mmCIF file with all atom_site columns, all heavy atoms in Angstrom:
data_model
loop_
_atom_site.group_PDB
_atom_site.id
_atom_site.type_symbol
_atom_site.label_atom_id
_atom_site.label_alt_id
_atom_site.label_comp_id
_atom_site.label_asym_id
_atom_site.label_entity_id
_atom_site.label_seq_id
_atom_site.pdbx_PDB_ins_code
_atom_site.Cartn_x
_atom_site.Cartn_y
_atom_site.Cartn_z
_atom_site.occupancy
_atom_site.B_iso_or_equiv
_atom_site.pdbx_formal_charge
_atom_site.auth_seq_id
_atom_site.auth_comp_id
_atom_site.auth_asym_id
_atom_site.auth_atom_id
_atom_site.pdbx_PDB_model_num
ATOM 1   N N   . ARG A 1 94  ? 39.112 -41.955 -16.836 1.00 98.00 ? 94  ARG A N   1
ATOM 2   C CA  . ARG A 1 94  ? 37.648 -42.075 -16.918 1.00 98.00 ? 94  ARG A CA  1
ATOM 3   C C   . ARG A 1 94  ? 37.163 -41.969 -15.510 1.00 98.00 ? 94  ARG A C   1
ATOM 4   O O   . ARG A 1 94  ? 37.968 -42.105 -14.494 1.00 98.00 ? 94  ARG A O   1
ATOM 5   C CB  . ARG A 1 94  ? 37.189 -43.491 -17.497 1.00 98.00 ? 94  ARG A CB  1
ATOM 6   C CG  . ARG A 1 94  ? 37.620 -44.711 -16.666 1.00 98.00 ? 94  ARG A CG  1
ATOM 7   C CD  . ARG A 1 94  ? 36.854 -45.953 -17.358 1.00 98.00 ? 94  ARG A CD  1
ATOM 8   N NE  . ARG A 1 94  ? 37.124 -47.128 -16.542 1.00 98.00 ? 94  ARG A NE  1
ATOM 9   C CZ  . ARG A 1 94  ? 36.633 -47.539 -15.407 1.00 98.00 ? 94  ARG A CZ  1
ATOM 10  N NH1 . ARG A 1 94  ? 35.704 -46.764 -14.832 1.00 98.00 ? 94  ARG A NH1 1
ATOM 11  N NH2 . ARG A 1 94  ? 36.960 -48.649 -14.857 1.00 98.00 ? 94  ARG A NH2 1
ATOM 12  N N   . GLY A 1 95  ? 35.918 -41.802 -15.363 1.00 97.00 ? 95  GLY A N   1
ATOM 13  C CA  . GLY A 1 95  ? 35.179 -41.644 -14.156 1.00 97.00 ? 95  GLY A CA  1
ATOM 14  C C   . GLY A 1 95  ? 34.746 -43.024 -13.523 1.00 97.00 ? 95  GLY A C   1
ATOM 15  O O   . GLY A 1 95  ? 35.092 -44.070 -14.037 1.00 97.00 ? 95  GLY A O   1
ATOM 16  N N   . GLU A 1 96  ? 33.887 -43.021 -12.580 1.00 97.00 ? 96  GLU A N   1
ATOM 17  C CA  . GLU A 1 96  ? 33.407 -44.301 -11.962 1.00 97.00 ? 96  GLU A CA  1
ATOM 18  C C   . GLU A 1 96  ? 32.091 -44.838 -12.522 1.00 97.00 ? 96  GLU A C   1
ATOM 19  O O   . GLU A 1 96  ? 31.328 -45.509 -11.851 1.00 97.00 ? 96  GLU A O   1
ATOM 20  C CB  . GLU A 1 96  ? 33.139 -43.997 -10.466 1.00 97.00 ? 96  GLU A CB  1
ATOM 21  C CG  . GLU A 1 96  ? 34.394 -43.302 -9.711  1.00 97.00 ? 96  GLU A CG  1
ATOM 22  C CD  . GLU A 1 96  ? 34.074 -42.826 -8.408  1.00 97.00 ? 96  GLU A CD  1
ATOM 23  O OE1 . GLU A 1 96  ? 33.084 -42.961 -7.870  1.00 97.00 ? 96  GLU A OE1 1
ATOM 24  O OE2 . GLU A 1 96  ? 35.041 -42.318 -7.621  1.00 97.00 ? 96  GLU A OE2 1
ATOM 25  N N   . ASP A 1 97  ? 31.760 -44.350 -13.818 1.00 97.00 ? 97  ASP A N   1
ATOM 26  C CA  . ASP A 1 97  ? 30.419 -44.782 -14.399 1.00 97.00 ? 97  ASP A CA  1
ATOM 27  C C   . ASP A 1 97  ? 30.294 -46.305 -14.285 1.00 97.00 ? 97  ASP A C   1
ATOM 28  O O   . ASP A 1 97  ? 31.223 -47.062 -14.662 1.00 97.00 ? 97  ASP A O   1
ATOM 29  C CB  . ASP A 1 97  ? 30.552 -44.424 -15.775 1.00 97.00 ? 97  ASP A CB  1
ATOM 30  C CG  . ASP A 1 97  ? 29.240 -44.726 -16.557 1.00 97.00 ? 97  ASP A CG  1
ATOM 31  O OD1 . ASP A 1 97  ? 28.342 -43.951 -16.492 1.00 97.00 ? 97  ASP A OD1 1
ATOM 32  O OD2 . ASP A 1 97  ? 29.225 -45.758 -17.203 1.00 97.00 ? 97  ASP A OD2 1
ATOM 33  N N   . ASP A 1 98  ? 29.082 -46.707 -13.796 1.00 96.00 ? 98  ASP A N   1
ATOM 34  C CA  . ASP A 1 98  ? 28.846 -48.197 -13.730 1.00 96.00 ? 98  ASP A CA  1
ATOM 35  C C   . ASP A 1 98  ? 29.058 -48.950 -14.996 1.00 96.00 ? 98  ASP A C   1
ATOM 36  O O   . ASP A 1 98  ? 29.445 -50.025 -14.938 1.00 96.00 ? 98  ASP A O   1
ATOM 37  C CB  . ASP A 1 98  ? 27.405 -48.396 -13.221 1.00 96.00 ? 98  ASP A CB  1
ATOM 38  C CG  . ASP A 1 98  ? 27.209 -47.784 -11.720 1.00 96.00 ? 98  ASP A CG  1
ATOM 39  O OD1 . ASP A 1 98  ? 28.287 -47.747 -10.987 1.00 96.00 ? 98  ASP A OD1 1
ATOM 40  O OD2 . ASP A 1 98  ? 26.035 -47.615 -11.349 1.00 96.00 ? 98  ASP A OD2 1
ATOM 41  N N   . LEU A 1 99  ? 28.463 -48.488 -16.087 1.00 97.00 ? 99  LEU A N   1
ATOM 42  C CA  . LEU A 1 99  ? 28.629 -49.149 -17.337 1.00 97.00 ? 99  LEU A CA  1
ATOM 43  C C   . LEU A 1 99  ? 29.971 -49.402 -17.804 1.00 97.00 ? 99  LEU A C   1
ATOM 44  O O   . LEU A 1 99  ? 30.524 -50.568 -18.077 1.00 97.00 ? 99  LEU A O   1
ATOM 45  C CB  . LEU A 1 99  ? 27.772 -48.482 -18.406 1.00 97.00 ? 99  LEU A CB  1
ATOM 46  C CG  . LEU A 1 99  ? 27.746 -49.241 -19.793 1.00 97.00 ? 99  LEU A CG  1
ATOM 47  C CD1 . LEU A 1 99  ? 26.439 -48.770 -20.558 1.00 97.00 ? 99  LEU A CD1 1
ATOM 48  C CD2 . LEU A 1 99  ? 28.937 -48.921 -20.716 1.00 97.00 ? 99  LEU A CD2 1
ATOM 49  N N   . LEU A 1 100 ? 30.843 -48.288 -17.635 1.00 97.00 ? 100 LEU A N   1
ATOM 50  C CA  . LEU A 1 100 ? 32.273 -48.398 -17.996 1.00 97.00 ? 100 LEU A CA  1
ATOM 51  C C   . LEU A 1 100 ? 33.006 -49.229 -17.097 1.00 97.00 ? 100 LEU A C   1
ATOM 52  O O   . LEU A 1 100 ? 33.905 -50.067 -17.393 1.00 97.00 ? 100 LEU A O   1
ATOM 53  C CB  . LEU A 1 100 ? 32.944 -47.066 -18.118 1.00 97.00 ? 100 LEU A CB  1
ATOM 54  C CG  . LEU A 1 100 ? 32.364 -46.029 -19.030 1.00 97.00 ? 100 LEU A CG  1
ATOM 55  C CD1 . LEU A 1 100 ? 33.168 -44.715 -18.982 1.00 97.00 ? 100 LEU A CD1 1
ATOM 56  C CD2 . LEU A 1 100 ? 32.440 -46.563 -20.573 1.00 97.00 ? 100 LEU A CD2 1
ATOM 57  N N   . SER A 1 101 ? 32.696 -49.243 -15.749 1.00 97.00 ? 101 SER A N   1
ATOM 58  C CA  . SER A 1 101 ? 33.409 -49.957 -14.739 1.00 97.00 ? 101 SER A CA  1
ATOM 59  C C   . SER A 1 101 ? 33.093 -51.422 -14.855 1.00 97.00 ? 101 SER A C   1
ATOM 60  O O   . SER A 1 101 ? 33.997 -52.334 -14.581 1.00 97.00 ? 101 SER A O   1
ATOM 61  C CB  . SER A 1 101 ? 32.931 -49.536 -13.329 1.00 97.00 ? 101 SER A CB  1
ATOM 62  O OG  . SER A 1 101 ? 33.365 -48.162 -13.093 1.00 97.00 ? 101 SER A OG  1
ATOM 63  N N   . GLY A 1 102 ? 31.903 -51.787 -15.431 1.00 97.00 ? 102 GLY A N   1
ATOM 64  C CA  . GLY A 1 102 ? 31.634 -53.194 -15.539 1.00 97.00 ? 102 GLY A CA  1
ATOM 65  C C   . GLY A 1 102 ? 32.040 -53.820 -16.792 1.00 97.00 ? 102 GLY A C   1
ATOM 66  O O   . GLY A 1 102 ? 31.906 -55.106 -16.958 1.00 97.00 ? 102 GLY A O   1
ATOM 67  N N   . LEU A 1 103 ? 32.783 -53.239 -17.536 1.00 97.00 ? 103 LEU A N   1
ATOM 68  C CA  . LEU A 1 103 ? 33.336 -53.754 -18.869 1.00 97.00 ? 103 LEU A CA  1
ATOM 69  C C   . LEU A 1 103 ? 34.560 -54.559 -18.610 1.00 97.00 ? 103 LEU A C   1
ATOM 70  O O   . LEU A 1 103 ? 35.391 -54.381 -17.522 1.00 97.00 ? 103 LEU A O   1
ATOM 71  C CB  . LEU A 1 103 ? 33.595 -52.693 -19.808 1.00 97.00 ? 103 LEU A CB  1
ATOM 72  C CG  . LEU A 1 103 ? 32.396 -51.918 -20.219 1.00 97.00 ? 103 LEU A CG  1
ATOM 73  C CD1 . LEU A 1 103 ? 32.867 -50.769 -21.282 1.00 97.00 ? 103 LEU A CD1 1
ATOM 74  C CD2 . LEU A 1 103 ? 31.465 -52.728 -21.010 1.00 97.00 ? 103 LEU A CD2 1
ATOM 75  N N   . PRO A 1 104 ? 34.918 -55.668 -19.462 1.00 97.00 ? 104 PRO A N   1
ATOM 76  C CA  . PRO A 1 104 ? 36.154 -56.435 -19.194 1.00 97.00 ? 104 PRO A CA  1
ATOM 77  C C   . PRO A 1 104 ? 37.450 -55.741 -19.637 1.00 97.00 ? 104 PRO A C   1
ATOM 78  O O   . PRO A 1 104 ? 37.990 -55.985 -20.661 1.00 97.00 ? 104 PRO A O   1
ATOM 79  C CB  . PRO A 1 104 ? 35.914 -57.620 -20.028 1.00 97.00 ? 104 PRO A CB  1
ATOM 80  C CG  . PRO A 1 104 ? 34.952 -57.098 -21.112 1.00 97.00 ? 104 PRO A CG  1
ATOM 81  C CD  . PRO A 1 104 ? 34.126 -56.083 -20.501 1.00 97.00 ? 104 PRO A CD  1
ATOM 82  N N   . TRP A 1 105 ? 37.912 -54.890 -18.765 1.00 97.00 ? 105 TRP A N   1
ATOM 83  C CA  . TRP A 1 105 ? 39.146 -54.114 -19.035 1.00 97.00 ? 105 TRP A CA  1
ATOM 84  C C   . TRP A 1 105 ? 40.412 -55.027 -19.129 1.00 97.00 ? 105 TRP A C   1
ATOM 85  O O   . TRP A 1 105 ? 41.451 -54.641 -19.735 1.00 97.00 ? 105 TRP A O   1
ATOM 86  C CB  . TRP A 1 105 ? 39.408 -52.967 -18.143 1.00 97.00 ? 105 TRP A CB  1
ATOM 87  C CG  . TRP A 1 105 ? 38.294 -51.842 -18.417 1.00 97.00 ? 105 TRP A CG  1
ATOM 88  C CD1 . TRP A 1 105 ? 37.127 -51.728 -17.666 1.00 97.00 ? 105 TRP A CD1 1
ATOM 89  C CD2 . TRP A 1 105 ? 38.417 -50.818 -19.290 1.00 97.00 ? 105 TRP A CD2 1
ATOM 90  N NE1 . TRP A 1 105 ? 36.587 -50.597 -18.228 1.00 97.00 ? 105 TRP A NE1 1
ATOM 91  C CE2 . TRP A 1 105 ? 37.310 -50.187 -19.214 1.00 97.00 ? 105 TRP A CE2 1
ATOM 92  C CE3 . TRP A 1 105 ? 39.408 -50.605 -20.277 1.00 97.00 ? 105 TRP A CE3 1
ATOM 93  C CZ2 . TRP A 1 105 ? 36.967 -49.028 -20.113 1.00 97.00 ? 105 TRP A CZ2 1
ATOM 94  C CZ3 . TRP A 1 105 ? 39.174 -49.615 -21.165 1.00 97.00 ? 105 TRP A CZ3 1
ATOM 95  C CH2 . TRP A 1 105 ? 37.877 -48.820 -21.058 1.00 97.00 ? 105 TRP A CH2 1
ATOM 96  N N   . ASP A 1 106 ? 40.288 -56.182 -18.606 1.00 95.00 ? 106 ASP A N   1
ATOM 97  C CA  . ASP A 1 106 ? 41.441 -57.094 -18.731 1.00 95.00 ? 106 ASP A CA  1
ATOM 98  C C   . ASP A 1 106 ? 41.706 -57.504 -20.204 1.00 95.00 ? 106 ASP A C   1
ATOM 99  O O   . ASP A 1 106 ? 42.837 -58.089 -20.400 1.00 95.00 ? 106 ASP A O   1
ATOM 100 C CB  . ASP A 1 106 ? 41.276 -58.377 -17.743 1.00 95.00 ? 106 ASP A CB  1
ATOM 101 C CG  . ASP A 1 106 ? 39.896 -59.162 -18.246 1.00 95.00 ? 106 ASP A CG  1
ATOM 102 O OD1 . ASP A 1 106 ? 38.815 -58.420 -18.561 1.00 95.00 ? 106 ASP A OD1 1
ATOM 103 O OD2 . ASP A 1 106 ? 39.959 -60.354 -18.372 1.00 95.00 ? 106 ASP A OD2 1
ATOM 104 N N   . LYS A 1 107 ? 40.704 -57.464 -21.088 1.00 93.00 ? 107 LYS A N   1
ATOM 105 C CA  . LYS A 1 107 ? 40.985 -57.614 -22.414 1.00 93.00 ? 107 LYS A CA  1
ATOM 106 C C   . LYS A 1 107 ? 41.797 -56.573 -23.147 1.00 93.00 ? 107 LYS A C   1
ATOM 107 O O   . LYS A 1 107 ? 42.258 -56.864 -24.214 1.00 93.00 ? 107 LYS A O   1
ATOM 108 C CB  . LYS A 1 107 ? 39.460 -57.733 -23.193 1.00 93.00 ? 107 LYS A CB  1
ATOM 109 C CG  . LYS A 1 107 ? 38.673 -59.029 -22.836 1.00 93.00 ? 107 LYS A CG  1
ATOM 110 C CD  . LYS A 1 107 ? 37.476 -58.973 -23.576 1.00 93.00 ? 107 LYS A CD  1
ATOM 111 C CE  . LYS A 1 107 ? 36.541 -60.230 -23.248 1.00 93.00 ? 107 LYS A CE  1
ATOM 112 N NZ  . LYS A 1 107 ? 35.310 -60.256 -24.082 1.00 93.00 ? 107 LYS A NZ  1
ATOM 113 N N   . ALA A 1 108 ? 42.015 -55.520 -22.417 1.00 95.00 ? 108 ALA A N   1
ATOM 114 C CA  . ALA A 1 108 ? 42.954 -54.441 -22.976 1.00 95.00 ? 108 ALA A CA  1
ATOM 115 C C   . ALA A 1 108 ? 43.922 -54.197 -21.925 1.00 95.00 ? 108 ALA A C   1
ATOM 116 O O   . ALA A 1 108 ? 44.038 -53.109 -21.392 1.00 95.00 ? 108 ALA A O   1
ATOM 117 C CB  . ALA A 1 108 ? 42.010 -53.187 -23.177 1.00 95.00 ? 108 ALA A CB  1
#
Side-chain angles (χ1 to χ4, degrees):
R94 67 168 177 83
E96 303 169 6
D97 182 82
D98 289 342
L99 187 150
L100 298 180
S101 297
L103 298 176
W105 288 99
D106 57 314
K107 291 184 177 180

